[in-house]
Every structure is written in structure tokens, then in C-alpha cells.
């Protein structure tokens, strides 16, 4: 007989790890204890060599489904002679850090209980266990125990307390555990006027009293039935979810969807749909095995699915304005018991979009939602479990030849860290970009990339950013000593970084993109990075976005770039791609091309002369090498879109119309400049070919296909030319243009065929959501290099 101490780190709290260890130890005939601490889970086990070896092996091999074991450190200790195996009280270790589980979609067992008329949780909208339910959104500090969560005001009833205390029960130490008698409850506010709406729960006492479960079940059932009735009548209902409010309406009711768009000021941008089941989703969308796996995973993200041909003839048909001009639909399945009850009763797909006005953070509090969403929603489905931190839905897709790709990383994934390919000797904060902001806290080998914060363009989003930073620093015991930031001087994230008074490291936008990809793959050496996006502040003061960089983590050399074009009006040209098109024609000497005739006819009176004068005199007309802006120009010339209602719309719709069965391709010209100067990838031949096709009345679908082939070929050819010159074997692909399926798949395949190794993101988006991780890596590398 001997004794071993085991220290287990990872996501091992709030996921049933202690009861798992308890049951395992008893099965193996071991004595001792297991306990939570702020530094992970500690186990003292006494027994035979064989039993102790089996325990150590099973901690990884048989861990609970939601546990993520990152390390197990074993150490022989003095034998004490325990007579049983117990679960000890949690302990706080000063300065230690433990990981926190993301929120987890309702497990099958809990979903079955909610639907089982004989179960005491039948119809209970907040059913959960150690395998599912809220985690990150309810925690204020660690260790993860009920008093540290927003469930602290709901004392357990005797039955729930017995479950909570029983190591053999799947609700053992499930901190959000509750039932009709003792847990959170629903409220519905509807009718009257917004001025009448106030958050006035029937009981505001703390702690909450216990109630009659039968009366509570009847009450909750009536509330859900009324919410469903309102939805069927075309009402917009604000539903309090896990990480904030969602705005729901009937996805087959065009009038309701149009009304939601108008009130929310969400023009054009696609809306996500929650389907009752996989079978219901298949009525409207194609679905591969990989996409089905994503939809039904514990993270339950929104998954981008291709709409079925003829979906407009489905019965009932989806509202046409859900995804105007696109061939894909964002679909998710119910991921809370409330969602399951609502969708089961409604019996069809619901729009489920973020509960905010466009460009603002999602509402989380009841009083806040009633105030901020009063002119959007007609009714509010509320509950009294507080949300501690905002948490948007994650968005993913699967692209053959590339794999699973993140569009937005949030619920179900954050705050689980990425593993850095090094161990930092000082904590580093990276404040991220302006659009699709996330931040990163790097401590040791853990890189905590936050959930999606949003576009940092207003005070409300900055406040949300600061609250979330403070939460991460507290939960994970991070004390930044260096801050990394984007070079753009006007970004709120940059200004925040520089206000902290810490040693700071400015990181060029596209260098951060490439460092983020290579660090995910653990490639520390120099690579050829291709960063294609809409906007990034360059080291020369111009706007970059079509870049080939020979880069490692510490630095980069700009070895090629897209030909620069004028951006007349700056941000105004981003909102109106027609301006970008006019600037491109002027720059490339194509203003008099006959193919531009249809384009000129769509310009407003005096627009051509005004924009050309701005370009000629350099008035508010920065230069840009952005590939995203070139997509805008081609989309406008081809008649796809002259005005963008949301960021990237023209490029997204240009991809959507592409008919890849059409033959032909345009071609960029690679211009070799003076020795040592970057190559220039010249778009003038492509634009001239686009105009030639317009003269011959070539459809936009064919123009798009030929343009996409030109972009793909230009990237591959430029890489094939530069990689041998600089002795590089890896090609890292990043930036928003690589959210385009045609581009990312075509380039990845072509790079492989050229004998090079493509690197794409694994657990971060290719768009600006991955920037912060790259900033932190660059800051560490420069400190290490110095």
C-alpha cells in the first residue's frame, strides 16, 4: 500500500469531475479524498500499485464528457491510512488559476426529463446537471461553487439538495441545480405600452422562497403557451437566453421578419434560425455529416448550411428576407430547456437573433432589456436568473478540403484557452482590433481569447469590453504587465491599451493575423503569410489589405502586395462600393471603357464628378491595397451591389452569385519592381476583363466565377514565386477574404499542389476575431528576442 497526490488541471470544475473521481476510486478500492481548488482538482489516493496506476490512467481516458484534462501531475506522498474515499471541501489557493467551463447545451438526459410527464422536472425551463447548463455566464469568481454564481439567491429545496450532495447522482455539485420548487422562474410581459413595462418580479426577496411545484409548472406552461400564441400571430418576442436576450419571431412570416429588421436597424444582414430538430432543419438545408456533428455538439453553435434548391417552394416557406441574396442559412438547434419547450410548442423554425439594436452589445438584464428593446420587441419572455457576462452565439461552418472554420467564437468555446506554443514569463494583454473585437490574456502557456465582443465603435461596447476584461483577469488570476495593440491610432481598443500606463507593443494588423495562424500550429519559424481583408493600418500610413509577408512571430517583411487604389471618402467608400469602383477605374485608366456604361447609369447626379475631383486633389482619399475593397469594386461593376448595408456585404453577395460551372478566368499581372522592393499584384488587367465581359452582356454569375479564379490563381502564383526565393515551406492564410469558401478552398488546394503547406486557423476565425491572439504572440516574441 502506498499514497499518491495527483494534481489535475484543465476544465475539471463544474463538469462532474469530482463525482467521477469518487466513483472511480471506490471502484478501484482506493481511500483518500478529492477536492476542488482554485488551482485545479487535487486527489489524495491510497491503495495498491495496480489500483493507483489504473486511477492515473482513467483520469484522462474515462473523464466526464465535458471535462478537458490538460495535465495530471503525480507525486508520491506519505501514507496516512484513510479508511474511506471522500469529497473534501473546496479550497482557495492564493494566486492560483483554474479553468472555467463554457456554457453547455442541454444534454439528452435533461431534455428527456423536461419532456417526461412523470418526471418532477417535466416542463421546467431551467433543468440542468453536471453535463450541461450555464457555467461561464453565471460565475463571478472561482472556485466554481454556488455562492460564487448568480444562483446564490436560490437556496436548494430538500430534494435538489439531496441530489447535490449525492456523489452517485449526475447533479452532484451541479451549481445551477434547481427545480420548480426552488429555482428560477419565467415571467412574461406583453400588452400595454412600453411605458408600462417594468421589471417587477412577484417576489424580490433574497433568498428566494420555495414554492408549490405543481402551481409553478402550471404557471410556466401557461407562460410558454402565451409566448407561442404571440409568436404565431407575428409578434416579436425578446427571450432571455444564456448569455443575453434573443429576439424571436416566426421564421416563415415575412411580415414579422421585415418588421424585426426595420425595428432592429438590421438591413440586409442574414438572420439566424433555430430549428426544432435536425429533421426540421433538413426541410430547408443541405447537411453533411460534419455539419450535423457541429449542430448536435455540446457547444450547439450556429452552423452555416447551404439552402436546398427549391427551398422557396417548401411548405411553409422560409421568409425570403432571412438571407437576401445568399445561398446559406445560419441554423442552430435548441440549447436550453426553455428553447426546447418553446420550439416543441411552436413546432417550426424561429428567428433567433441577438437582443440588441445593431452595433450595440446584447442586453443581459431584465430592466435593461425592457428599456433598450422596448421599441423592438412586442413582448418579453423573462426569467430571474441573472446573467453575469454577455455571451453571443458562436458561428461555425465546415468547408471540404479545409475543415471546421470559426466565423465567431463565443458560447460553448470561450473562455477555454488556446495553448500557446511557449510559456510566457510575464502576463500579456492584447486589446485586439476594432471590428469583431476579442481580447487576449496570455499567462504562462494559456492564451485566453475572449468571447466575441463586437465592433468597438461606441461607448457601450467599450464598457462591455472593460467589464469582460475585468472578469477574465479575476477568474484566471491574470495581472498584465505588457499590453499589445493595433497600430491604428483611432481604434478604441488602441486608445484603451495606451491608457493603461503599461509597457506597450504596437503590432501591425496583418502581422498579427499571420502570427495568430502560425502560433495555433506551433510554427515559430519564418513563413509566407497571405493576409487578405478589408482594412488594416500599414506601417507606411496607408491602408493595407492585400499582403504577402515573410514573417515570424517577432517581425515581418512585406514582400508583395495588391496594387494600391484610391478610397474616395474613406469609410464612405466602404459603405458605397460604387465609390470604390469609380476610384479603381480612375486609377487603372479605364474611365472611358465602354463596359463602364451601365455602371455610370446607376450613379447619382453629380457623383462621378465629385468623386473624381476628390481623387484628383487627394481630398479624403487614402490609398489602399485591400483585396476586400477590390471585391467591392468588382461587385459594383458587375451590378451585384452598389451600396453595402453591412460590412462585407458586396463581397459576400459576389461570392453567392458565382456560377463555378462557367468557364474562363481573369488574370492579375505580377509586376517585378526594383531590387528589394515588394512585388505588386496588379488588378488592372482583371478590371479591364470585367468591363470587356460587361460589353458582351456576360452575367454577373460568370463574372464572379472568373474573378474568384483570378484571385485564387494570383495568390497561388505569387506564393509559388516568393516561397523558393525566401526559402519558405509554409503559407499562412488569414484575413476576412479567407472567409470566402471559394477563395480559401481554392488557395489551400493550389498551395498544396505547389508543394507548400497551407496553414489556416484551427480554433479561431480567419477574420479579425483572431487578431488579439496574434498581437499577444508578437508581444511575447519581441520581449523574448530582446
Amino acid at each position: 500500500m502506498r499514497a499518491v497526490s495527483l494534481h489535475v488541471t484543465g476544465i475539471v470544475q463544474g463538469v462532474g469531475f469530482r463525482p467521477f473521481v469518487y466513483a472511480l476510486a471506490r471502484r478501484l478500492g482506493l481511500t483518500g479524498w478529492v477536492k476542488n481548488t482554485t488551482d485545479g482538482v487535487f486527489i489524495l489516493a491510497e491503495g495498491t500499485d495496480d489500483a493507483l496506476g489504473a486511477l492515473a490512467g482513467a483520469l484522462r481516458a474515462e473523464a466526464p464528457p465535458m471535462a478537458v484534462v490538460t495535465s495530471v501531475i503525480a507525486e508520491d506522498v506519505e501514507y496516512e491510512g484513510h479508511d474511506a474515499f471522500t469529497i473534501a471541501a473546496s479550497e482557495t489557493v492564493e494566486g492560483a488559476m483554474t479553468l472555467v467551463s463554457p456554457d453547455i447545451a442541454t444534454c439528452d438526459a435533461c431534455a428527456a426529463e423536461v419532456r417526461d410527464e412523470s418526471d418532477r422536472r417535466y416542463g421546467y425551463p431551467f433543468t440542468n446537471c453536471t453535463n450541461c447548463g450555464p457555467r461561464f455566464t453565471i460565475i463571478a469568481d472561482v472556485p466554481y461553487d454556488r455562492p460564487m454564481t448568480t444562483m446564490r439567491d436560490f437556496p436548494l429545496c430538500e430534494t435538489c439538495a439531496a441530489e447535490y450532495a449525492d456523489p452517485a447522482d449526475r447533479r452532484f455539485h451541479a451549481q445551477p441545480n434547481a427545480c420548480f420548487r426552488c429555482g428560477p422562474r419565467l415571467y412574461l410581459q406583453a400588452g400595454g405600452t412600453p411605458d408600462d413595462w417594468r421589471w417587477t418580479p412577484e417576489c424580490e426577496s433574497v433568498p428566494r422562497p420555495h414554492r408549490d411545484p405543481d402551481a409553478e409548472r402550471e404557471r410556466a406552461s401557461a407562460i410558454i403557451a402565451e409566448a407561442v400564441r404571440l409568436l404565431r400571430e407575428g409578434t416579436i418576442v425578446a427571450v432571455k437566453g444564456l448569455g443575453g436576450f434573443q429576439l424571436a419571431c416566426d421564421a416563415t412570416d415575412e411580415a414579422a421578419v421585415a418588421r424585426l429588421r426595420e425595428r432592429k436597424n438590421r438591413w440586409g444582414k442574414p438572420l439566424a434560425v433555430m430549428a426544432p430538430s435536425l429533421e426540421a432543419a433538413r426541410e430547408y438545408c443541405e447537411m453533411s455529416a460534419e455539419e450535423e456533428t457541429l449542430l448536435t455538439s455540446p457547444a450547439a453553435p450556429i452552423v452555416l448550411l447551404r439552402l436546398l434548391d427549391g427551398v422557396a417552394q417548401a411548405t411553409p416557406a422560409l421568409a425570403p428576407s432571412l438571407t437576401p441574396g445568399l445561398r446559406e442559412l445560419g441554423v442552430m438547434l435548441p440549447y436550453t430547456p426553455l428553447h426546447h419547450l418553446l420550439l416543441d410548442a411552436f413546432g417550426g423554425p424561429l428567428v433567433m437573433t441577438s437582443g440588441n439594436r445593431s452595433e450595440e452589445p446584447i442586453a443581459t438584464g431584465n430592466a435593461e432589456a425592457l428599456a433598450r428593446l422596448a421599441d423592438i420587441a412586442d413582448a418579453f419572455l423573462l426569467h430571474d436568473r441573472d446573467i453575469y457576462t454577455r455571451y453571443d452565439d458562436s458561428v461555425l461552418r465546415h468547408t471540404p478540403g479545409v475543415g471546421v472554420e470559426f466565423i465567431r467564437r463565443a458560447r460553448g468555446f470561450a473562455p477555454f484557452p488556446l495553448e500557446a506554443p511557449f510559456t510566457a514569463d510575464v502576463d500579456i494583454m492584447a486589446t485586439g482590433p476594432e471590428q469583431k473585437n476579442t481580447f487576449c490574456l496570455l499567462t504562462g502557456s494559456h492564451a485566453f481569447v475572449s468571447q466575441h465582443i463586437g465592433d468597438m465603435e461606441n461607448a457601450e461596447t467599450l464598457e462591455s469590453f472593460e467589464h469582460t476584461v475585468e472578469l477574465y483577469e479575476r477568474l484566471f488570476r491574470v495581472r498584465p504587465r505588457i499590453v499589445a495593440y493595433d497600430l491604428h491610432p483611432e481604434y478604441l481598443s488602441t486608445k484603451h491599451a495606451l491608457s493603461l500606463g503599461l509597457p506597450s507593443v504596437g503590432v501591425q494588423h496583418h502581422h498579427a493575423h499571420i502570427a495568430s495562424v502560425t502560433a495555433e500550429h506551433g510554427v515559430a519559424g519564418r513563413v509566407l503569410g497571405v493576409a487578405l481583408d478589408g482594412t488594416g493600418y500599414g506601417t507606411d500610413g496607408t491602408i493595407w489589405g492585400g499582403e504577402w509577408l515573410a514573417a515570424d512571430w517577432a517581425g515581418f517583411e512585406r514582400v508583395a502586395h495588391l496594387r494600391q487604389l484610391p478610397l474616395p471618402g474613406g469609410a464612405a467608400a466602404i459603405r458605397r462600393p460604387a465609390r470604390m469602383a469609380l476610384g479603381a477605374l480612375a486609377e487603372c485608366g479605364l474611365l472611358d471603357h465602354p463596359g463602364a456604361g451601365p455602371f455610370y447609369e446607376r450613379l447619382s447626379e453629380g457623383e462621378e464628378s465629385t468623386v473624381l475631383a476628390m481623387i484628383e486633389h487627394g481630398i479624403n482619399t487614402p490609398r489602399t491595397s485591400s483585396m476586400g475593397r477590390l471585391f467591392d469594386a468588382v461587385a459594383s461593376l458587375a451590378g451585384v451591389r452598389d451600396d453595402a448595408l453591412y460590412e462585407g456585404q458586396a463581397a459576400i453577395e459576389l461570392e453567392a452569385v458565382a456560377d463555378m460551372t462557367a468557364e474562363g478566368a481573369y488574370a492579375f499581372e505580377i509586376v517585378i519592381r526594383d531590387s528589394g522592393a515588394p512585388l505588386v499584384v496588379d488588378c488592372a488587367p482583371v478590371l479591364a476583363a470585367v468591363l470587356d465581359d460587361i460589353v458582351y452582356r456576360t452575367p454577373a454569375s460568370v463574372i464572379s466565377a472568373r474573378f474568384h479564379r483570378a484571385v485564387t490563381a494570383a495568390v497561388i502564383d505569387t506564393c509559388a514565386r516568393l516561397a523558393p526565393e525566401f526559402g519558405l515551406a509554409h503559407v499562412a492564410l488569414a484575413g476576412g477574404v479567407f472567409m470566402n469558401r471559394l477563395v480559401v478552398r481554392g488557395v489551400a488546394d493550389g498551395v498544396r499542389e505547389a508543394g507548400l503547406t497551407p496553414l489556416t486557423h484551427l480554433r479561431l476565425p480567419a477574420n479579425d476575431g483572431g487578431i488579439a491572439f496574434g498581437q499577444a504572440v508578437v508581444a511575447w516574441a519581441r520581449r523574448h528576442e530582446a
Side-chain angles (χ1 to χ4, degrees):
M1 304 289 285
R2 64 187 181 93
V4 173
S5 170
L6 298 118
H7 178 200
V8 187
T9 63
I11 295 184
V12 289
Q13 295 189 21
V15 291
F17 199 80
R18 286 176 299 168
F20 153 69
V21 173
Y22 173 86
L24 179 62
R26 294 189 57 145
R27 188 181 84 204
L28 294 171
L30 297 168
T31 60
W33 48 256
V34 58
K35 67 180 175 183
N36 270 349
T37 79
T38 48
D39 193 23
V41 168
F42 281 84
I43 304 166
L44 175 69
E46 297 179 338
T48 65
D49 284 346
D50 288 347
L52 291 172
L55 172 68
L59 291 177
R60 287 183 185 272
E62 301 177 26
M66 297 316 303
V68 179
V69 176
T70 55
S71 71
V72 179
I73 300 173
E75 179 184 4
D76 285 327
V77 295
E78 184 177 348
Y79 183 83
E80 298 177 3
H82 289 268
D83 58 7
F85 197 91
T86 61
I87 296 176
S90 297
E91 180 181 320
T92 298
V93 178
E94 187 66 30
M97 180 268 288
T98 193
L99 301 183
V100 175
S101 169
D103 287 23
I104 305 163
T106 306
C107 68
D108 290 343
C110 284
E113 288 175 341
V114 170
R115 295 185 174 104
D116 182 356
E117 294 185 15
S118 66
D119 194 278
R120 74 186 189 92
R121 289 188 174 88
Y122 170 62
Y124 186 55
F126 307 100
T127 300
N128 66 87
C129 68
T130 54
N131 296 322
C132 69
R135 299 290 190 274
F136 178 57
T137 54
I138 63 171
I139 188 170
D141 206 344
V142 289
Y144 176 64
D145 287 322
R146 197 174 181 103
M148 295 290 196
T149 74
T150 60
M151 288 296 294
R152 59 184 174 269
D153 296 334
F154 297 92
L156 293 164
C157 65
E158 289 184 5
T159 308
C160 287
E163 294 171 334
Y164 185 89
D166 181 1
D169 195 287
R170 81 172 198 278
R171 292 189 169 92
F172 174 75
H173 278 229
Q175 306 307 334
N177 187 29
C179 70
F180 277 117
R181 180 180 293 278
C182 62
R185 64 200 312 234
L186 292 177
Y187 298 83
L188 182 68
Q189 295 230 11
T193 67
D195 290 338
D196 301 325
W197 292 345
R198 299 286 186 274
W199 170 233
T200 53
E202 294 173 25
C203 178
E204 295 180 325
S205 65
V206 176
R208 301 286 200 274
H210 292 169
R211 301 181 175 91
D212 174 25
D214 292 332
E216 286 296 305
R217 179 177 292 107
E218 184 177 347
R219 176 182 174 278
S221 177
I223 287 174
I224 289 172
E226 178 62 10
V228 168
R229 184 189 70 79
L230 291 169
L231 288 165
R232 286 176 176 158
E233 291 182 352
T235 294
I236 298 168
V237 179
V239 180
K240 188 175 183 181
L242 275 179
F245 277 78
Q246 296 168 305
L247 293 167
C249 71
D250 184 348
T252 67
D253 185 337
E254 175 59 25
V257 173
R259 194 160 50 250
L260 173 60
R261 284 194 176 280
E262 181 177 4
R263 294 180 183 179
K264 187 175 161 66
N265 294 331
R266 187 182 173 107
W267 305 111
K269 199 170 186 179
L271 293 167
V273 164
M274 181 175 282
S277 63
L278 282 173
E279 293 69 28
R282 288 194 183 98
E283 294 179 14
Y284 301 102
C285 299
E286 298 176 6
M287 192 184 304
S288 67
E290 293 85 357
E291 290 163 340
E292 179 177 331
T293 297
L294 288 175
L295 281 167
T296 57
S297 69
I302 296 171
V303 180
L304 298 187
L305 303 177
R306 185 177 177 85
L307 288 165
L308 290 169
D309 292 334
V311 70
Q313 284 74 51
T315 304
L318 292 174
S321 64
L322 283 176
T323 58
L326 304 181
R327 299 178 181 178
E328 291 183 325
L329 177 67
V331 177
M332 58 182 152
L333 298 179
Y335 57 83
T336 71
L338 177 56
H339 287 145
H340 281 284
L341 292 167
L342 199 61
L343 271 291
D344 283 355
F346 185 77
L350 290 174
V351 170
M352 280 284 179
T353 189
S354 54
N356 61 347
R357 193 176 300 281
S358 291
E359 312 309 328
E360 293 180 357
I362 55 175
T364 56
N366 294 324
E368 174 197 4
L370 289 167
R372 286 178 52 201
L373 306 180
D375 55 353
I376 301 177
D378 303 301
F380 290 79
L381 185 54
L382 309 167
H383 61 73
D384 56 359
R385 185 180 68 206
D386 289 341
I387 296 169
Y388 195 81
T389 193
R390 289 182 174 88
Y391 211 36
D392 272 297
D393 293 316
S394 292
V395 184
L396 284 79
R397 72 183 186 193
H398 179 268
T399 299
V402 179
V404 174
E405 297 176 281
F406 281 81
I407 311 298
R408 183 171 71 200
R409 180 180 179 271
R411 179 182 54 76
F413 298 97
F416 189 69
L418 278 66
E419 285 298 309
F422 51 77
T423 301
D425 58 344
V426 64
D427 291 353
I428 297 172
M429 176 183 181
T431 57
E434 180 175 72
Q435 292 185 330
K436 300 175 178 63
N437 179 270
T438 62
F439 62 82
C440 177
L441 294 177
L442 176 61
T443 179
S445 61
H446 291 315
F448 291 95
V449 179
S450 74
Q451 69 269 32
H452 171 81
I453 302 295
D455 293 348
M456 292 273 284
E457 296 176 340
N458 53 59
E460 293 83 2
T461 307
L462 177 60
E463 181 182 350
S464 176
F465 170 94
E466 291 172 340
H467 167 81
T468 311
V469 168
E470 185 272 334
L471 174 64
Y472 272 67
E473 289 180 349
R474 182 170 66 253
L475 289 180
F476 305 119
R477 309 306 194 242
V478 180
R479 299 294 179 266
R481 295 294 178 261
I482 296 173
V483 62
Y485 62 91
D486 192 279
L487 293 181
H488 198 298
E490 294 304 315
Y491 284 179
L492 286 180
S493 57
T494 296
K495 293 179 178 179
H496 175 83
L498 297 178
S499 74
L500 298 176
L502 296 173
S504 58
V505 179
V507 182
Q508 199 280 323
H509 187 90
H510 301 98
H511 183 207
H513 264 309
I514 300 308
S516 183
V517 175
T518 55
E520 273 208 84
H521 287 270
V523 177
R526 216 174 187 209
V527 304
L528 183 57
V530 185
L532 307 180
D533 62 7
T535 300
Y537 195 81
T539 55
D540 59 0
T542 65
I543 299 172
W544 292 6
E547 312 304 317
W548 285 255
L549 309 178
D552 59 18
W553 295 339
F556 71 93
E557 178 184 354
R558 192 187 194 196
V559 294
H561 61 80
L562 193 65
R563 176 177 176 171
Q564 286 193 332
L565 299 174
L567 189 67
I574 298 174
R575 293 188 296 269
R576 180 157 168 76
R579 282 192 172 213
M580 192 67 219
L582 192 53
L585 295 181
E587 173 72 22
C588 298
L590 296 170
L591 288 171
D592 296 327
H593 194 293
F599 166 72
Y600 290 138
E601 291 175 1
R602 299 195 306 272
L603 297 180
S604 59
E605 184 177 353
E607 183 175 12
E608 178 184 355
S609 59
T610 300
V611 171
L612 292 178
M614 292 173 64
I615 295 170
E616 180 181 357
H617 298 291
I619 301 171
N620 191 22
T621 302
R623 307 280 293 173
T624 180
S625 58
S626 165
M627 182 66 82
R629 300 289 77 84
L630 181 62
F631 266 81
D632 287 352
V634 172
S636 179
L637 292 174
V640 173
R641 177 155 293 278
D642 293 326
D643 291 284
L645 301 175
Y646 60 90
E647 190 264 331
Q649 182 181 15
I652 292 169
E653 292 184 358
L654 184 65
E655 176 190 4
V657 302
D659 177 7
M660 300 309 290
T661 65
E663 296 181 352
Y666 307 135
F668 289 79
E669 180 183 357
I670 300 176
V671 179
I672 302 173
R673 302 173 67 185
D674 296 337
S675 177
L679 299 178
V680 175
V681 181
D682 190 357
C683 60
V686 169
L687 294 172
V690 168
L691 295 175
D692 289 343
D693 269 351
I694 291 172
V695 170
Y696 291 108
R697 300 179 184 274
T698 303
S701 58
V702 177
I703 292 173
S704 175
R706 292 173 178 173
F707 175 69
H708 277 86
R709 291 192 184 106
V711 171
T712 300
V715 174
I716 295 166
D717 293 347
T718 305
C719 290
R721 181 188 294 261
L722 290 170
E725 179 181 343
F726 289 90
L728 305 175
H730 294 90
V731 176
L733 310 176
V737 171
F738 286 109
M739 303 309 300
N740 182 311
R741 289 186 195 256
L742 302 177
V743 173
V744 68
R745 184 176 183 180
V747 170
D749 289 346
V751 164
R752 289 190 194 95
E753 291 172 6
L756 303 169
T757 302
L759 303 176
T760 57
H761 275 294
L762 302 173
R763 292 195 289 158
L764 291 173
N767 59 38
D768 282 6
I771 285 278
F773 178 51
Q775 290 175 341
V777 169
V778 171
W780 174 85
R782 290 182 184 168
R783 170 182 167 83
H784 181 73
E785 188 178 63

